Each structure stands twice: as structure tokens, then as C-alpha cells.
Amino acid sequence: MENKEISRTLKLLSQLMELHNENPFKVKSTANASFKVDKLPFKLRDKSLSELETIDGVGKSTASKIWELLQNGSIEELNTLISMTPTGVLDMLSIKGLGPKKIIVIWQDLGIDNIGELYYACNENRLIEAKGFGSKTQEDIKKAIEFKMANSGKFLYASIEQYALNYQQQLHQHFQQLDSFTNTIITGDLRRKCEIIESLDILVISNNYPKLRDSFNQPENIENIITQEDSITFKDQNQLAVNIYFCRHENAGSRLFETTGNAKHVTIIQQMLKPGNFKTEEELYQSISLEYIEPELREGTNEIELAKNKRLPKLITYEDLKGTLHNHSTWSDGVHSIAEMAKYCRDTLKLEYLGMCDHSKTAVYANGLSIERVLQQHQEIDALNLKLAPFKIFKGIESDILGDGSLDYPDEILEKFDFVVASVHSNLKMDEEKATQRIIKAIENPYTTILGHPTGRLLLSRSGYPLDFKKVIDACAANKVIIEINANPLRLDLDWRWHQYALEKGVMLSINPDAHRNEGFLDMQYGVYVARKGGLAKEMCLNCLDLEQIESIFNSRKLQA
């Protein structure tokens, strides 16, 4: 069990304690422990009970609960509280903006115990007069419920990737026992590396596929399996749609093509094809004089036209990355020190440079750096660079874009950084015109190097603030500002659907992990996935430049400022 799962369990325990009027001290200490556990730089599963008890911010009582969770997979006190709570009330805890205090009013005072009734109550204006509510709060809750409804049955790519690989492996092993020539391939949304996954699609290739299909065992607790001649479909226990397709080796290319691309891409290509089967996808595209189109690009945008004209980009790979920018250390809200992160990047990831971008002073919630602390951090980086050379740590900052579009430090401080990532973290509810002008003003600041996570979205949780993307990208082109592809699987922002427009305007992109711990650097892989969907080649990716090249870019920009 990973620390994040332990942290989530403790958070739920604290919420239910509060919901059922437990001792406020117990509620607060459990909530604090949840926060602490998430930030620990070591794994709790490797610790003994006595070691857990010595961890700062945990304490004996919570340590015993963590130990119980690690040993048994559950906490008896939590199970008891869950059994006392209606399922619909538990569901309310997943709605943005609803904490235990508000849910107590909704449940106990208004008698509402499920999300459906709550949504109806919002439409009926029943929440407006309730204690602690008002028209704005009611509208926010209504929008949050609508967002949750719209995303039911959808999953982040990163949350489903390992599950899909494990399931494919289990199927492969089972079917190979019956036919050693069986091959299984993940297809569909996952093969296209979509940021949101709506189904797990697996193609099973075997000349004995009817026998394999009939051998399929119905998973536990699953009903309504639909079995057809060449497919099996069902929903798993997490409500994820699973489609298992079957075909013979002679038409593997045709079937893989059909099950991979989105509907528009598949339809257009099929209209161009002559009747027949293809063993490989390469043969299929070649038969109609098209370059092979990588799965990530098969979204029905402009990929077919590019393939006709032999103009498809050579897509970026993870191995093309030379360094990592936009990362947070213990100086602000990170888990690892700058030295620990630098050594991990140099020794484990074999990168050439690291860009530190701790939070700026306005981000007090994230221990943002005062001007004095900025100067202290720069001294530490200078000393580390002497020790770690030729590896280089760049002095960066994630500067908050303030409400009026200005950056978070005066020019005499901004000029001391090697590069500046400008990001919005507050006032997320501006209308499109105001939000766009705010961003453009930040882009026009001569010290802005990179525009960070442009929309502030959190996938399946928070839609980004509205922007006129063409104006924002045009401003980046005019001011030679790079746009970030934030590789955190919850963000993946800038959205890949705007990458092509940015590239056409000559705007470079940067795949930034926004890492707050060493493991966070690995998120760059997800950034690469969506960058490939957007058609990014390494030549237009900032952190594919080697150390000498990127130093040259940073230095020339500082001279221009």
C-alpha cells in the first residue's frame, strides 16, 4: 500500500469522524496526519509500529490505525463509520466544495441523503436559506454535481494504465494455454494515449479464437456480459467498460486499425480502402499511399492530410528529453530537497539539467518564497552547481500571475532567475475576456519564459478557466514565450488539441512534470504521451535541448529583458 492510499484513507476517516460528531481533537489530528503522510519522503509500509509512532505529526493513536490498515487492509473504526453512513452521503464527499460541515446540514437538517436529491434541491432553490449556504454556494454545488455526472465512468489514463496492463497479461496467459500462437494487444483509447479513458479495449489474435472466446470466465460480481461472434463486452466492478475483440492472424492489421482510431479517423480511412484483409497496419496505410499514422494521432483532425503529403512529424519520445523544468523542493511545498532531486535527475534519470521553480511569495498556502528566501535558495543552488557539475541546476520560480496580470516580484528580483514560469493559481472564475487579458499581460512581461498550466484545469475534477486560446498562443508567439505541457496526469495542460496551432505559430512547448517529489519526475512520460497526440517533434520541445542549447536560450532572453 502506497502512502497516497494511506493518506486518502485517513482523510476519509477524519471526514466521517466530523460527520458523526466525533471529538474535534481526534478529527483534527487524523486530518493533520493524512496531510503529513502524503508528504513523507519514505514508504510507511516499510516501517514497524514503533517506527510509525515516532513520525512527527502522526502520534501513537493514528500510528496504530496506520498499522492496522497495513496489516489488514482496512481500519475497523472506519468500517464502522461507513456502515453508519448512507451510501449517497458518502458520495457527497467526492463533490467539490462539499465538506463534512455542509453535508451535516444537507443530511441532518434538510433530510437529503443522496446526490440525485441534492441536485434536485439545488434546482428547487432549497439550499439558499440553509445555514452556511447561499445562492452562490448552491450554484457552485449544482455545477460540481453536473461535472461529476458528465464524467461518470471515465478514468484518468495514469490511474488505469497499470490495471490495463495487468488485465491484458492475465488474459494473455490464460489464452496462451489454449493456443500458444495467441497475441493480445491493448487498443482503443489506451493505445491512442487519450488523457481520459472510457473503455479498456483488448484485441486477441488467434486462429482458434472461437475456442478462446468460449473459455472466457465471467469475472466476479459482473453481470450483463454480452458475447458476440468476435467480441465480449461488460463493465467491471469500477464501472469501466471492457471490450475484448477477437480476430485471426490474417486480418490482425485490419482489426487492430478498426479498434484503435476514433470513429472519424476509421470511417475516412475505410472509405479509401479496397476490400480485403491486412496482416499489419503498415500494409493497410501503404495500400492507400499514406504514411503510417501513429496510434496517438488517429483522432480525425489533420493527420490523414499530413500522411497524404508525407508531412507527418517524427513524434517526440521519452528518450529525447534532456532535462526537466518546473519542479518544487522543500523550499516551498515539495517533499525532497534540491540536492536530492538533482542527484535523482542526474544519476537515475540520466538528465543534464534540473529547473527548480518553487512557489512565489503570494502562494502562502504553499510556503511561497519571500525575496529573502529567494536569495538564500540561489546561494544553495550556486554551491550545488559547483559540486554536481557538469550537471546544472537552473534558478527558476513559479511566479503567480496576480489578478491584474502582473508577476509576483519586482523586476530587480525577476531578473535574478534563469527562467520564470508564470502560472495562475487564484481568481479562477474570471470571464473569458478578463482571464485572457490577464494571461496576455503576464505573457508580455519581459521576464516570463514559460506560461505554466494555461487553463488551471484538473481532469475529471475541475474544468479550466475560460480562455481565448488563439489570442493567448498568438501572444506567446509575439513575445517568444514557451507554453508548458504540464505532465501531471491530473492536468496535461496545455490540452493536446491546441498543440498544432501553437506549433504552426512557431511557439515552443515544454514538457514539465511539476514534480513535488522525485517520483513526480516520472510523470514526464504522460506529458510525452499527450505531446505525441498533439504532433510534437523534439525540435520544438524546450527540454529536448541539451544543456548548452538551453543555457543559450535562457541567457539570450535575459539580455533581451
Side-chain angles (χ1 to χ4, degrees), residues 481-520:
V481 168
I482 296 105
I483 300 180
E484 171 178 273
I485 300 173
N486 190 293
N488 185 308
L490 281 165
R491 290 190 185 273
L492 300 178
D493 180 19
L494 179 71
D495 190 291
W496 63 265
R497 293 159 187 84
W498 285 102
H499 293 184
Q500 274 297 308
Y501 184 78
L503 296 172
E504 287 167 6
K505 292 292 181 177
V507 176
M508 291 190 80
L509 305 177
S510 184
I511 298 173
N512 298 342
D514 201 351
H516 286 66
R517 63 183 74 211
N518 284 342
E519 294 84 353

Side-chain angles (χ1 to χ4, degrees), residues 131-173:
K131 182 181 177 182
F133 291 82
S135 58
K136 185 177 184 302
T137 302
Q138 176 178 271
E139 186 62 22
D140 287 345
I141 291 171
K142 181 183 174 185
K143 286 180 179 177
I145 294 173
E146 287 171 345
F147 195 82
K148 182 178 175 66
M149 288 174 172
N151 291 299
S152 177
K154 298 179 181 179
F155 301 84
L156 295 178
Y157 179 95
S159 70
I160 219 78
E161 181 183 31
Q162 193 56 52
Y163 173 82
L165 291 170
N166 292 343
Y167 193 78
Q168 178 206 10
Q169 186 177 26
Q170 291 169 13
L171 270 186
H172 187 76
Q173 290 172 348

Side-chain angles (χ1 to χ4, degrees), residues 272-300:
M272 300 166 67
L273 287 171
K274 295 178 181 178
N277 291 321
F278 297 92
K279 287 185 178 180
T280 69
E281 290 181 313
E282 285 80 1
E283 290 177 9
L284 184 149
Y285 285 108
Q286 191 175 29
S287 75
I288 49 177
S289 301
L290 293 183
E291 284 186 296
Y292 175 74
I293 301 175
E294 295 286 354
E296 295 95 324
L297 294 176
R298 301 180 201 174
E299 295 289 348

Side-chain angles (χ1 to χ4, degrees), residues 4 77 88 112 124 166 241 277 288 298 319 371 401 466 473:
K4 277 199 174 297
E77 183 180 359
I112 297 169
E124 294 289 302
N166 292 343
N277 291 321
I288 49 177
R298 301 180 201 174
E319 290 69 30
I371 291 176
I401 298 174
I473 292 169

Side-chain angles (χ1 to χ4, degrees), residues 103-340:
I103 292 176
I104 288 171
V105 174
I106 291 167
W107 179 24
Q108 302 293 347
D109 297 354
L110 301 180
I112 297 169
D113 66 0
N114 64 74
I115 291 175
E117 285 186 22
L118 178 58
Y119 186 66
Y120 181 79
C122 289
N123 283 318
E124 294 289 302
N125 284 326
R126 286 175 50 201
L127 267 62
I128 289 179
E129 301 301 327
K131 182 181 177 182
F133 291 82
S135 58
K136 185 177 184 302
T137 302
Q138 176 178 271
E139 186 62 22
D140 287 345
I141 291 171
K142 181 183 174 185
K143 286 180 179 177
I145 294 173
E146 287 171 345
F147 195 82
K148 182 178 175 66
M149 288 174 172
N151 291 299
S152 177
K154 298 179 181 179
F155 301 84
L156 295 178
Y157 179 95
S159 70
I160 219 78
E161 181 183 31
Q162 193 56 52
Y163 173 82
L165 291 170
N166 292 343
Y167 193 78
Q168 178 206 10
Q169 186 177 26
Q170 291 169 13
L171 270 186
H172 187 76
Q173 290 172 348
H174 171 67
F175 289 146
Q176 276 228 321
Q177 293 173 356
L178 300 172
D179 177 8
S180 61
F181 294 102
T182 297
N183 191 17
T184 59
I185 302 173
I186 289 178
T187 181
D189 292 352
L190 276 150
R191 188 169 181 235
R192 296 202 316 280
K193 301 295 191 293
C194 296
E195 66 273 38
I196 302 297
I197 303 300
E198 298 189 48
S199 64
L200 166 54
D201 302 282
I202 298 176
L203 178 62
V204 180
I205 304 166
S206 167
N207 288 341
N208 295 318
Y209 79 74
K211 180 181 178 182
L212 305 188
R213 179 200 61 210
D214 295 341
S215 75
F216 182 76
N217 295 318
Q218 179 166 318
E220 266 187 63
N221 304 319
I222 300 298
E223 298 178 359
N224 302 322
I225 290 185
I226 300 172
T227 302
Q228 297 182 328
E229 182 182 349
D230 60 357
S231 67
I232 297 172
T233 64
F234 59 91
K235 282 195 174 182
D236 72 2
Q237 65 272 20
N238 298 311
Q239 294 304 299
L240 173 66
V242 179
N243 302 308
I244 302 172
Y245 302 104
F246 298 90
C247 73
R248 302 184 190 281
H249 288 279
E250 65 191 33
N251 69 323
S254 301
R255 195 72 168 129
L256 184 57
F257 161 78
E258 291 167 5
T259 57
T260 294
N262 77 353
K264 185 176 179 181
H265 178 91
V266 171
T267 299
I268 294 171
I269 296 293
Q270 284 179 332
Q271 290 171 350
M272 300 166 67
L273 287 171
K274 295 178 181 178
N277 291 321
F278 297 92
K279 287 185 178 180
T280 69
E281 290 181 313
E282 285 80 1
E283 290 177 9
L284 184 149
Y285 285 108
Q286 191 175 29
S287 75
I288 49 177
S289 301
L290 293 183
E291 284 186 296
Y292 175 74
I293 301 175
E294 295 286 354
E296 295 95 324
L297 294 176
R298 301 180 201 174
E299 295 289 348
T301 56
N302 66 340
E303 71 275 10
I304 296 172
E305 192 63 31
L306 291 174
K308 278 181 186 176
N309 297 312
K310 314 298 182 190
R311 290 180 51 234
L312 284 171
K314 184 179 180 184
L315 298 180
I316 188 174
T317 67
Y318 185 83
E319 290 69 30
D320 291 327
L321 302 179
K322 302 296 184 186
T324 173
L325 305 167
H326 187 175
N327 305 290
H328 300 266
S329 72
T330 48
W331 278 86
S332 62
D333 61 344
V335 167
H336 290 107
S337 68
I338 297 176
E340 288 170 326

